[in-house]
Structure formats: structure tokens, C-alpha cells
Amino acid sequence: MRKKHLLALVVVAFAALALAQTYPLQITKLETKDLQGNVKTSFKRGEVVIVETTISWAPTYYYYYAAASLSYLEIITMWYGYTMTGLALTRTSIGPGETKTFGGGMQIRMTDPMGTYRIEVYVWNGFPSEVGPKCPKWTPLAEKAITTISVGG
Amino acid sequence: MKARYALLGLLLLAAAVLAQPTITVTPSTVSAGGTVEIKISGVDAEKCGIEIVDPAGAKAFVKEITLSNGQGVVTWDVPLAARLGAYTVYVSCTTSGAATAKFTVTALVGGEAHKDLAPLLMTMLSALAALLAAALIVRRLGGKLT
């Protein structure tokens, strides 16, 4: 194989990796519950919304041999329109083949508006303010997950 | 041939070092309760993480978006109870790198000040009506007496 063919192969491989945007982790479950642990999506003002997520790592051979565990930052946000009404986060690590569950509670204040709230979950290697443009570069580690709840009076 | 590869490598390295998303925050000064718009220009359909940190260092806003044709917009409704002062916007994207910007949140002031004249007018109208009624009564009673 000539050098230019090898170079072309390397370039194509990098381009494929960049375009594929595959993630090592998956958010396999996203549920909203009440304080008693019952799954529900309709809440009243004053109530606490428990958001429970499950993250799993089904490693490909690349990640399997690259690291024995993977550190990540999981962020749960709650939104009403363009206002972020709640934030919960955890920093932990996960091993190949493992699943991890994390739950965060967010209270809906009596003064909060009624309507549809959106819950978005992100899994990153760190906050943009912590990880720079280079080593370590900011990287999402899972496809974000979204669900909605309704809030009444 | 080696020189060409070296040049290509240097060009790729330079591109990686210089890569940076462009962010525009509008307006640069906003009152609590107002709205801030952050426009991001990056590369194709890359993912970007956006974080807004308040003057005390607390996370005020955290969001992940996917750019469309290298463009993305996020909007933040600044809460009325937001801390006043300088906020920092951190944007990190998977391909184009990272950038920061600042904006300022000021107190909600102003509004149109005017005196509510309705109570005064209502009092004067009531007094006028009472005077007219009294004058009418006096006139009728006066006519009967004479």
C-alpha cells in the first residue's frame, strides 16, 4: 500500500469518527416521580418532582480497552419556557457494562407558573467553564434525554 | 514528499489551535426579568454546551444544543431575582472549540410614574352631586314654605 493510500485511509477514518458522533454512554431511563416513588407526569405547585435517570455503559472495543472506568458529569435541568427552574447534578464514574442510577428532586414553587415543563438531562465530561478547548476538550458522553411534565394549581 | 506531509500536519494543527466558535450576546446589558439571546456560529451540526455563570460563581443556565448549518441560538429569561452584576457565558463545542463572552444584569428600574387622579375626581363628582341634591331640596322646600 502506498503512503498516499494510507494517508487517505487515516483521513477517512477520522472523518467517519467525527461524523458518527457516537457516545460511550446511554441514558436508558428517564422518569419523573413523586416523593413516594410513584411514577407520574402531572404535578401541583408546591410539590417536589423527583427525576430519576439510569446511565449505562455498553462499551465498544475502543472504549473497553481505552479505560477501565469513565468519569462523567450528569446534569438534570428543568425548564419553563426559556427559564431554568431547577438544576441537579452529580459527578461519578462508571465501569464497562455497568449501569448507574441518579435521582434529583426539584420543588415547584407556589409562585411558579402552571403549564408544561421540560426536563433535559445531559452527560458531559465537565462544564464548559471547567474543561477548555483543548485537553481535556469538552465532550458530551451521551445523547441528551428529554421529557415533559405538566404543572397545575 | 515528507515536507508535504509535515506542512499538511502543521496546517491541521494550526486550524485546530485557531478554531473557535463565535458567540454574540444580545443585549450586553439587560435588566432582571429581561431576555438574553446567545448566538453561536460553529461548524455544521456539532454539539455545543452553554453555561452562564452569575457574579457569585453559581450556575445560572446550562444547556446543550446541536447547531444547524453551523448556527445555533439559545435564549435565557433572566429571573427577576437574579443576582446583579457581570455574568460570563461559556460555550464549548465538539469541533470548533470554546469561547467566552460577558453581559451585565442590572436592577429593574423605571416604569412610568404618574399620579392616579381617579379618587380625587370621584370625590369631587360626589361632592358636586351632593351639593346639587342639597340645592334642589332647599329650592323645593323653600317653594313650599313660601
Side-chain angles (χ1 to χ4, degrees):
Chain A
M1 190 181 283
R2 297 178 64 176
K3 276 183 181 174
K4 65 179 179 183
H5 292 143
L6 193 64
L7 182 69
L9 196 65
V10 170
V11 169
V12 168
F14 270 102
L17 275 173
L19 291 172
Q21 294 214 336
T22 54
Y23 300 103
L25 306 182
Q26 292 88 40
I27 302 170
T28 51
K29 194 172 80 173
L30 169 57
E31 285 180 335
T32 49
K33 299 179 174 182
D34 61 18
L35 281 171
Q36 284 71 44
N38 304 309
V39 175
K40 68 178 211 173
T41 56
S42 295
F43 293 84
K44 289 180 180 173
R45 288 194 287 196
E47 286 186 324
V48 174
V49 183
I50 304 291
V51 183
E52 196 174 280
T53 62
T54 301
I55 307 275
S56 64
W57 183 15
T60 59
Y61 72 93
Y62 172 77
Y63 281 103
Y64 188 84
Y65 289 109
S69 71
L70 189 60
S71 297
Y72 65 90
L73 164 70
E74 182 183 348
I75 307 160
I76 299 173
T77 55
M78 187 159 79
W79 300 84
Y80 180 81
Y82 298 126
T83 303
M84 192 175 78
T85 60
L87 173 74
L89 61 92
T90 183
R91 290 173 201 266
T92 186
S93 60
I94 190 169
E98 272 192 326
T99 58
K100 291 227 168 175
T101 299
F102 170 62
M106 295 175 215
Q107 182 160 31
I108 302 158
R109 292 167 287 264
M110 295 304 290
T111 51
D112 282 345
M114 291 187 287
T116 301
Y117 285 63
R118 206 173 61 259
I119 290 160
E120 297 191 5
V121 182
Y122 316 126
V123 182
W124 298 345
N125 67 334
F127 281 109
S129 60
E130 299 165 347
V131 289
K134 309 284 176 299
C135 303
K137 187 178 180 181
W138 176 83
T139 309
L141 298 173
E143 184 68 54
K144 72 176 175 185
I146 301 173
T147 191
T148 56
I149 59 166
S150 63
V151 173
Chain B
M1 198 65 170
K2 279 182 183 174
R4 277 188 187 174
Y5 286 140
L7 184 63
L8 185 66
L10 281 173
L11 283 172
L12 287 171
L13 189 67
V17 169
L18 295 171
Q20 202 178 35
T22 306
I23 53 176
T24 312
V25 181
T26 316
S28 57
T29 300
V30 63
S31 300
T35 299
V36 172
E37 191 179 77
I38 301 158
K39 285 184 183 169
I40 303 163
S41 293
V43 177
D44 297 334
E46 65 175 330
K47 306 270 183 188
C48 295
I50 301 106
E51 176 190 354
I52 299 176
V53 177
D54 77 7
K59 318 278 182 212
F61 178 100
V62 182
K63 185 107 179 151
E64 179 186 313
I65 63 163
T66 304
L67 301 189
S68 174
N69 294 320
Q71 303 295 317
V73 179
V74 291
T75 305
W76 181 45
D77 285 344
V78 183
L80 279 167
R83 283 193 181 97
L84 307 181
Y87 282 64
T88 308
V89 183
Y90 295 90
V91 175
S92 282
C93 300
T94 49
T95 305
S96 61
T100 61
K102 284 190 179 291
F103 66 93
T104 305
V105 173
T106 57
L108 180 63
V109 290
E112 200 173 330
H114 62 88
K115 195 169 182 177
D116 188 2
L117 296 174
L120 179 66
L121 287 173
M122 285 304 292
T123 305
M124 289 178 71
L125 278 173
S126 301
L128 188 63
L131 277 172
L132 282 172
L136 200 62
I137 291 166
V138 167
R139 192 172 173 180
R140 285 198 177 175
L141 284 175
K144 280 185 183 175
L145 286 172
T146 56

